[in-house]
PDB file of all heavy atoms in Angstrom:
ATOM      1  N   LEU A 101      68.385  47.515  56.218  1.00  0.00           N
ATOM      2  CA  LEU A 101      69.606  47.447  55.419  1.00  0.00           C
ATOM      3  C   LEU A 101      70.853  47.463  56.297  1.00  0.00           C
ATOM      4  O   LEU A 101      71.842  46.788  55.991  1.00  0.00           O
ATOM      5  CB  LEU A 101      69.640  48.594  54.409  1.00  0.00           C
ATOM      6  CG  LEU A 101      68.597  48.489  53.280  1.00  0.00           C
ATOM      7  CD1 LEU A 101      68.627  49.734  52.409  1.00  0.00           C
ATOM      8  CD2 LEU A 101      68.808  47.232  52.443  1.00  0.00           C
ATOM      9  N   ARG A 102      70.816  48.200  57.411  1.00  0.00           N
ATOM     10  CA  ARG A 102      71.955  48.183  58.335  1.00  0.00           C
ATOM     11  C   ARG A 102      72.117  46.803  58.951  1.00  0.00           C
ATOM     12  O   ARG A 102      73.244  46.309  59.120  1.00  0.00           O
ATOM     13  CB  ARG A 102      71.784  49.241  59.424  1.00  0.00           C
ATOM     14  CG  ARG A 102      72.165  50.645  58.989  1.00  0.00           C
ATOM     15  CD  ARG A 102      72.407  51.557  60.174  1.00  0.00           C
ATOM     16  NE  ARG A 102      71.201  51.827  60.930  1.00  0.00           N
ATOM     17  CZ  ARG A 102      70.387  52.856  60.693  1.00  0.00           C
ATOM     18  NH1 ARG A 102      70.647  53.707  59.713  1.00  0.00           N
ATOM     19  NH2 ARG A 102      69.311  53.042  61.429  1.00  0.00           N
ATOM     20  N   ALA A 103      71.004  46.168  59.298  1.00  0.00           N
ATOM     21  CA  ALA A 103      71.073  44.832  59.894  1.00  0.00           C
ATOM     22  C   ALA A 103      71.610  43.816  58.895  1.00  0.00           C
ATOM     23  O   ALA A 103      72.445  42.966  59.235  1.00  0.00           O
ATOM     24  CB  ALA A 103      69.693  44.415  60.391  1.00  0.00           C
ATOM     25  N   GLN A 104      71.145  43.886  57.650  1.00  0.00           N
ATOM     26  CA  GLN A 104      71.654  42.968  56.633  1.00  0.00           C
ATOM     27  C   GLN A 104      73.154  43.151  56.436  1.00  0.00           C
ATOM     28  O   GLN A 104      73.906  42.172  56.340  1.00  0.00           O
ATOM     29  CB  GLN A 104      70.924  43.202  55.309  1.00  0.00           C
ATOM     30  CG  GLN A 104      69.479  42.749  55.298  1.00  0.00           C
ATOM     31  CD  GLN A 104      68.911  42.787  53.901  1.00  0.00           C
ATOM     32  OE1 GLN A 104      69.387  42.102  52.999  1.00  0.00           O
ATOM     33  NE2 GLN A 104      67.879  43.584  53.696  1.00  0.00           N
ATOM     34  N   ALA A 105      73.597  44.398  56.369  1.00  0.00           N
ATOM     35  CA  ALA A 105      75.031  44.666  56.174  1.00  0.00           C
ATOM     36  C   ALA A 105      75.843  44.150  57.353  1.00  0.00           C
ATOM     37  O   ALA A 105      76.927  43.581  57.167  1.00  0.00           O
ATOM     38  CB  ALA A 105      75.261  46.160  55.976  1.00  0.00           C
ATOM     39  N   ALA A 106      75.329  44.331  58.568  1.00  0.00           N
ATOM     40  CA  ALA A 106      76.061  43.869  59.756  1.00  0.00           C
ATOM     41  C   ALA A 106      76.214  42.355  59.746  1.00  0.00           C
ATOM     42  O   ALA A 106      77.266  41.821  60.128  1.00  0.00           O
ATOM     43  CB  ALA A 106      75.338  44.324  61.017  1.00  0.00           C
ATOM     44  N   LEU A 107      75.197  41.647  59.303  1.00  0.00           N
ATOM     45  CA  LEU A 107      75.283  40.191  59.236  1.00  0.00           C
ATOM     46  C   LEU A 107      76.217  39.754  58.113  1.00  0.00           C
ATOM     47  O   LEU A 107      77.052  38.858  58.289  1.00  0.00           O
ATOM     48  CB  LEU A 107      73.893  39.601  59.028  1.00  0.00           C
ATOM     49  CG  LEU A 107      73.765  38.078  59.041  1.00  0.00           C
ATOM     50  CD1 LEU A 107      74.371  37.477  60.291  1.00  0.00           C
ATOM     51  CD2 LEU A 107      72.309  37.673  58.906  1.00  0.00           C
ATOM     52  N   ARG A 108      76.117  40.405  56.981  1.00  0.00           N
ATOM     53  CA  ARG A 108      76.973  40.066  55.836  1.00  0.00           C
ATOM     54  C   ARG A 108      78.447  40.310  56.156  1.00  0.00           C
ATOM     55  O   ARG A 108      79.326  39.562  55.719  1.00  0.00           O
ATOM     56  CB  ARG A 108      76.534  40.913  54.639  1.00  0.00           C
ATOM     57  CG  ARG A 108      77.183  40.598  53.334  1.00  0.00           C
ATOM     58  CD  ARG A 108      76.432  41.247  52.192  1.00  0.00           C
ATOM     59  NE  ARG A 108      76.361  42.704  52.251  1.00  0.00           N
ATOM     60  CZ  ARG A 108      75.255  43.407  52.532  1.00  0.00           C
ATOM     61  NH1 ARG A 108      74.115  42.790  52.795  1.00  0.00           N
ATOM     62  NH2 ARG A 108      75.270  44.725  52.545  1.00  0.00           N
ATOM     63  N   GLU A 109      78.731  41.358  56.931  1.00  0.00           N
ATOM     64  CA  GLU A 109      80.106  41.735  57.250  1.00  0.00           C
ATOM     65  C   GLU A 109      80.597  41.141  58.567  1.00  0.00           C
ATOM     66  O   GLU A 109      81.730  41.422  58.976  1.00  0.00           O
ATOM     67  CB  GLU A 109      80.203  43.264  57.294  1.00  0.00           C
ATOM     68  CG  GLU A 109      79.937  43.902  55.933  1.00  0.00           C
ATOM     69  CD  GLU A 109      79.604  45.382  56.013  1.00  0.00           C
ATOM     70  OE1 GLU A 109      79.734  45.967  57.123  1.00  0.00           O
ATOM     71  OE2 GLU A 109      79.202  45.950  54.984  1.00  0.00           O
ATOM     72  N   PHE A 110      79.788  40.324  59.214  1.00  0.00           N
ATOM     73  CA  PHE A 110      80.220  39.667  60.449  1.00  0.00           C
ATOM     74  C   PHE A 110      81.503  38.899  60.150  1.00  0.00           C
ATOM     75  O   PHE A 110      81.563  38.129  59.183  1.00  0.00           O
ATOM     76  CB  PHE A 110      79.122  38.725  60.931  1.00  0.00           C
ATOM     77  CG  PHE A 110      79.365  38.127  62.288  1.00  0.00           C
ATOM     78  CD1 PHE A 110      79.191  38.877  63.434  1.00  0.00           C
ATOM     79  CD2 PHE A 110      79.768  36.803  62.428  1.00  0.00           C
ATOM     80  CE1 PHE A 110      79.400  38.335  64.701  1.00  0.00           C
ATOM     81  CE2 PHE A 110      79.988  36.248  63.674  1.00  0.00           C
ATOM     82  CZ  PHE A 110      79.801  37.022  64.816  1.00  0.00           C
ATOM     83  N   PRO A 111      82.564  39.083  60.932  1.00  0.00           N
ATOM     84  CA  PRO A 111      83.880  38.586  60.508  1.00  0.00           C
ATOM     85  C   PRO A 111      84.077  37.082  60.626  1.00  0.00           C
ATOM     86  O   PRO A 111      85.051  36.552  60.084  1.00  0.00           O
ATOM     87  CB  PRO A 111      84.838  39.332  61.446  1.00  0.00           C
ATOM     88  CG  PRO A 111      84.019  39.636  62.663  1.00  0.00           C
ATOM     89  CD  PRO A 111      82.640  39.896  62.159  1.00  0.00           C
ATOM     90  N   LYS A 112      83.182  36.401  61.313  1.00  0.00           N
ATOM     91  CA  LYS A 112      83.334  34.959  61.536  1.00  0.00           C
ATOM     92  C   LYS A 112      82.303  34.204  60.698  1.00  0.00           C
ATOM     93  O   LYS A 112      81.299  34.773  60.267  1.00  0.00           O
ATOM     94  CB  LYS A 112      83.159  34.658  63.027  1.00  0.00           C
ATOM     95  CG  LYS A 112      84.099  35.491  63.895  1.00  0.00           C
ATOM     96  CD  LYS A 112      83.770  35.432  65.369  1.00  0.00           C
ATOM     97  CE  LYS A 112      84.634  36.411  66.153  1.00  0.00           C
ATOM     98  NZ  LYS A 112      84.411  36.327  67.612  1.00  0.00           N
ATOM     99  N   PRO A 113      82.507  32.912  60.462  1.00  0.00           N
ATOM    100  CA  PRO A 113      81.546  32.161  59.651  1.00  0.00           C
ATOM    101  C   PRO A 113      80.152  32.140  60.281  1.00  0.00           C
ATOM    102  O   PRO A 113      80.004  32.004  61.502  1.00  0.00           O
ATOM    103  CB  PRO A 113      82.139  30.752  59.606  1.00  0.00           C
ATOM    104  CG  PRO A 113      83.592  30.932  59.876  1.00  0.00           C
ATOM    105  CD  PRO A 113      83.677  32.087  60.825  1.00  0.00           C
ATOM    106  N   THR A 114      79.149  32.266  59.437  1.00  0.00           N
ATOM    107  CA  THR A 114      77.756  32.244  59.887  1.00  0.00           C
ATOM    108  C   THR A 114      76.993  31.178  59.106  1.00  0.00           C
ATOM    109  O   THR A 114      77.171  31.029  57.893  1.00  0.00           O
ATOM    110  CB  THR A 114      77.083  33.605  59.672  1.00  0.00           C
ATOM    111  OG1 THR A 114      77.265  34.016  58.308  1.00  0.00           O
ATOM    112  CG2 THR A 114      77.671  34.661  60.585  1.00  0.00           C
ATOM    113  N   ILE A 115      76.146  30.445  59.810  1.00  0.00           N
ATOM    114  CA  ILE A 115      75.332  29.394  59.189  1.00  0.00           C
ATOM    115  C   ILE A 115      73.883  29.621  59.599  1.00  0.00           C
ATOM    116  O   ILE A 115      73.564  29.612  60.797  1.00  0.00           O
ATOM    117  CB  ILE A 115      75.771  27.990  59.641  1.00  0.00           C
ATOM    118  CG1 ILE A 115      77.270  27.767  59.411  1.00  0.00           C
ATOM    119  CG2 ILE A 115      74.958  26.926  58.908  1.00  0.00           C
ATOM    120  CD1 ILE A 115      77.796  26.473  60.032  1.00  0.00           C
ATOM    121  N   ALA A 116      73.003  29.830  58.627  1.00  0.00           N
ATOM    122  CA  ALA A 116      71.569  29.884  58.904  1.00  0.00           C
ATOM    123  C   ALA A 116      71.031  28.459  58.956  1.00  0.00           C
ATOM    124  O   ALA A 116      71.267  27.671  58.038  1.00  0.00           O
ATOM    125  CB  ALA A 116      70.846  30.681  57.830  1.00  0.00           C
ATOM    126  N   VAL A 117      70.345  28.117  60.026  1.00  0.00           N
ATOM    127  CA  VAL A 117      69.749  26.789  60.199  1.00  0.00           C
ATOM    128  C   VAL A 117      68.234  26.978  60.099  1.00  0.00           C
ATOM    129  O   VAL A 117      67.618  27.589  60.979  1.00  0.00           O
ATOM    130  CB  VAL A 117      70.145  26.163  61.540  1.00  0.00           C
ATOM    131  CG1 VAL A 117      69.574  24.753  61.662  1.00  0.00           C
ATOM    132  CG2 VAL A 117      71.666  26.144  61.693  1.00  0.00           C
ATOM    133  N   VAL A 118      67.641  26.442  59.038  1.00  0.00           N
ATOM    134  CA  VAL A 118      66.280  26.812  58.657  1.00  0.00           C
ATOM    135  C   VAL A 118      65.333  25.634  58.781  1.00  0.00           C
ATOM    136  O   VAL A 118      65.563  24.571  58.196  1.00  0.00           O
ATOM    137  CB  VAL A 118      66.253  27.357  57.209  1.00  0.00           C
ATOM    138  CG1 VAL A 118      64.836  27.731  56.809  1.00  0.00           C
ATOM    139  CG2 VAL A 118      67.188  28.550  57.062  1.00  0.00           C
ATOM    140  N   ARG A 119      64.263  25.878  59.518  1.00  0.00           N
ATOM    141  CA  ARG A 119      63.103  24.977  59.527  1.00  0.00           C
ATOM    142  C   ARG A 119      61.883  25.806  59.149  1.00  0.00           C
ATOM    143  O   ARG A 119      61.801  26.985  59.493  1.00  0.00           O
ATOM    144  CB  ARG A 119      62.886  24.347  60.905  1.00  0.00           C
ATOM    145  CG  ARG A 119      64.001  23.431  61.379  1.00  0.00           C
ATOM    146  CD  ARG A 119      63.626  22.775  62.715  1.00  0.00           C
ATOM    147  NE  ARG A 119      64.681  21.912  63.217  1.00  0.00           N
ATOM    148  CZ  ARG A 119      65.695  22.331  63.965  1.00  0.00           C
ATOM    149  NH1 ARG A 119      65.782  23.612  64.291  1.00  0.00           N
ATOM    150  NH2 ARG A 119      66.618  21.484  64.380  1.00  0.00           N
ATOM    151  N   GLY A 120      60.924  25.202  58.481  1.00  0.00           N
ATOM    152  CA  GLY A 120      59.678  25.891  58.183  1.00  0.00           C
ATOM    153  C   GLY A 120      59.872  27.105  57.298  1.00  0.00           C
ATOM    154  O   GLY A 120      60.697  27.105  56.378  1.00  0.00           O
ATOM    155  N   HIS A 121      59.101  28.157  57.585  1.00  0.00           N
ATOM    156  CA  HIS A 121      59.075  29.328  56.718  1.00  0.00           C
ATOM    157  C   HIS A 121      60.357  30.151  56.838  1.00  0.00           C
ATOM    158  O   HIS A 121      60.818  30.460  57.932  1.00  0.00           O
ATOM    159  CB  HIS A 121      57.881  30.221  57.083  1.00  0.00           C
ATOM    160  CG  HIS A 121      56.569  29.596  56.787  1.00  0.00           C
ATOM    161  ND1 HIS A 121      55.814  28.929  57.731  1.00  0.00           N
ATOM    162  CD2 HIS A 121      55.853  29.516  55.619  1.00  0.00           C
ATOM    163  CE1 HIS A 121      54.703  28.467  57.190  1.00  0.00           C
ATOM    164  NE2 HIS A 121      54.702  28.805  55.909  1.00  0.00           N
TER     165      HIS A 121
END
Side-chain angles (χ1 to χ4, degrees):
L101 291 175
R102 280 198 293 269
Q104 289 190 61
L107 185 53
R108 187 166 61 252
E109 295 162 8
F110 188 76
K112 306 168 187 184
T114 52
I115 306 171
V117 183
V118 180
R119 296 184 181 87
H121 293 97

